[in-house]
Amino acid sequence: MTNMLVTPGQRKGVCAENSGIPDAQCRNDSDCQAGEAVIAGNGIKTGQCLGSGTCEIFAWCPVERSELSRNNVLDIRNQSYLKNCQYDKTRNAYCPIFRLGDIVNRAGSNFQEMAVEGGVIGIMIEWNCDLDKSPSKCDPTYSYSRLDDVNTDRSITSGYNFRFAKYDKNADGVESRTLYKAYGIRFDIMVNAKAGKFSIIPTVINIGSGLALMGVGAFICDLILLYLIKKSRYYRGKKYEEVSFDHLSPEGEESEAEPVDVNMSKKKVITRNESKSHQKNFTEPKPTEQ
């Protein structure tokens, strides 16, 4: 398999036929005779000509559509081209006819040596297409490799062979067979494809994901919530804790003095300075002389 189209979710019903089918094109309902099958199409005509210029059909809907289909065969009207062409990387990149010797040589082996014990060759077809460019820029790239082990001497994994038998009976009814062990070259064809087209939506998503991974997203969200919305003060009150400096000492340390009760405001409160002056004025009585 070198190409594939997938049409998922088909259900039986009525829909427009593929506009690329000549027998499905119409101008009025008379061009779509009810009950008539669309030649090389997908279903049966219902008798209605749709605004798309194609007949309505009863079929598995939606029908298969090929907006961009690329394969390794050149779409050409000249049928003799495939009878005479040979693959060439530059001149005939879409000719699917290869010389066996050329394939073996490109895989780094010799055809005469491989023909004795057989072998397995992998053919890789790579499609790397930029859909923003012309479809003619989407070309297949071939590469070849030897898959069986040829580095060891007559290893069980080297070469390629298979057996088959032909059975026979003689006039006496005795059965016999002829056993054949055939050597040959097996080709494993592997197709890898990658195509892409620029779109602004996944680009923005990827940029946003990258910013979020770097932590810039949280910073931008904080800026919006703190400065751009109307109720930013509520968000600021939850995010930050406000500290009042009214009860701090001049040195910036919190005062350890307990708050004074309002009912005690009439009592004499001795401050630290008054206590020192009281100590200075107080003198002990002198002893009397005897």
Side-chain angles (χ1 to χ4, degrees), residues 2 9 23 29 31 38 64 77 85 101 134 163 177 187 212 242 247 255 257 271:
T2 59
D23 189 45
D29 293 345
D31 296 332
V38 181
E64 179 184 275
R77 300 292 181 181
C85 72
S134 172
R163 291 176 174 84
R177 77 172 191 176
F187 296 97
E242 295 185 0
H247 63 285
S255 175
T271 62

Side-chain angles (χ1 to χ4, degrees), residues 10-216:
Q10 284 187 323
R11 296 184 178 181
K12 285 187 177 181
V14 292
C15 54
E17 179 60 282
N18 193 332
S19 59
I21 299 177
D23 189 45
Q25 298 177 0
C26 63
R27 293 184 179 179
N28 47 56
D29 293 345
S30 61
D31 296 332
C32 303
Q33 185 176 353
E36 184 182 40
V38 181
I39 300 176
N42 298 282
I44 306 298
K45 298 177 182 178
T46 62
Q48 294 187 10
C49 181
L50 302 179
S52 58
T54 58
C55 294
E56 183 185 62
I57 61 171
F58 178 80
W60 285 98
C61 299
V63 298
E64 179 184 275
R65 298 186 182 276
S66 176
E67 297 180 357
L68 177 61
S69 176
R70 303 291 291 170
N71 54 46
N72 62 335
V73 181
L74 183 64
D75 184 13
I76 191 171
R77 300 292 181 181
N78 186 4
Q79 298 182 357
S80 62
Y81 171 77
L82 294 178
K83 297 180 180 179
N84 302 319
C85 72
Q86 286 187 4
Y87 171 80
D88 184 85
K89 184 177 181 180
T90 56
R91 293 178 296 178
N92 293 319
Y94 286 89
C95 179
I97 300 175
F98 300 80
R99 294 185 60 203
L100 184 58
D102 293 339
I103 294 177
V104 176
N105 292 335
R106 293 188 179 112
S109 300
N110 182 274
F111 177 76
Q112 298 298 330
E113 297 176 357
M114 182 181 291
V116 177
E117 295 291 336
V120 183
I121 293 180
I123 302 177
M124 281 69 69
I125 306 177
E126 298 282 346
W127 295 85
N128 190 0
C129 300
D130 185 356
L131 301 182
D132 291 320
K133 299 181 180 179
S134 172
S136 61
K137 302 295 183 181
C138 181
D139 296 330
T141 303
Y142 294 85
S143 59
Y144 314 87
S145 61
R146 183 81 179 264
L147 300 182
D148 58 305
D149 190 3
V150 295
N151 297 324
T152 58
D153 186 18
R154 299 185 65 85
S155 170
I156 193 173
T157 59
S158 63
Y160 179 76
N161 62 78
F162 58 95
R163 291 176 174 84
F164 64 96
K166 290 185 177 180
Y167 296 86
D168 194 12
K169 285 184 179 181
N170 59 15
D172 298 331
V174 178
E175 187 177 17
S176 63
R177 77 172 191 176
T178 303
L179 179 64
Y180 298 88
K181 182 179 181 181
Y183 295 86
I185 300 176
R186 173 179 171 175
F187 296 97
D188 289 346
I189 301 177
M190 295 157 282
V191 182
N192 296 321
K194 181 177 68 173
K197 188 175 183 179
F198 176 78
S199 178
I200 188 62
I201 295 177
T203 302
V204 173
I205 293 175
N206 292 333
I207 293 175
S209 300
L211 293 176
L213 291 176
M214 293 186 297
V216 181

Side-chain angles (χ1 to χ4, degrees), residues 268-279:
K268 177 63 176 178
V269 178
I270 301 176
T271 62
R272 184 178 300 177
N273 294 331
E274 292 176 347
S275 177
K276 290 182 179 180
S277 61
H278 178 71
Q279 293 178 359

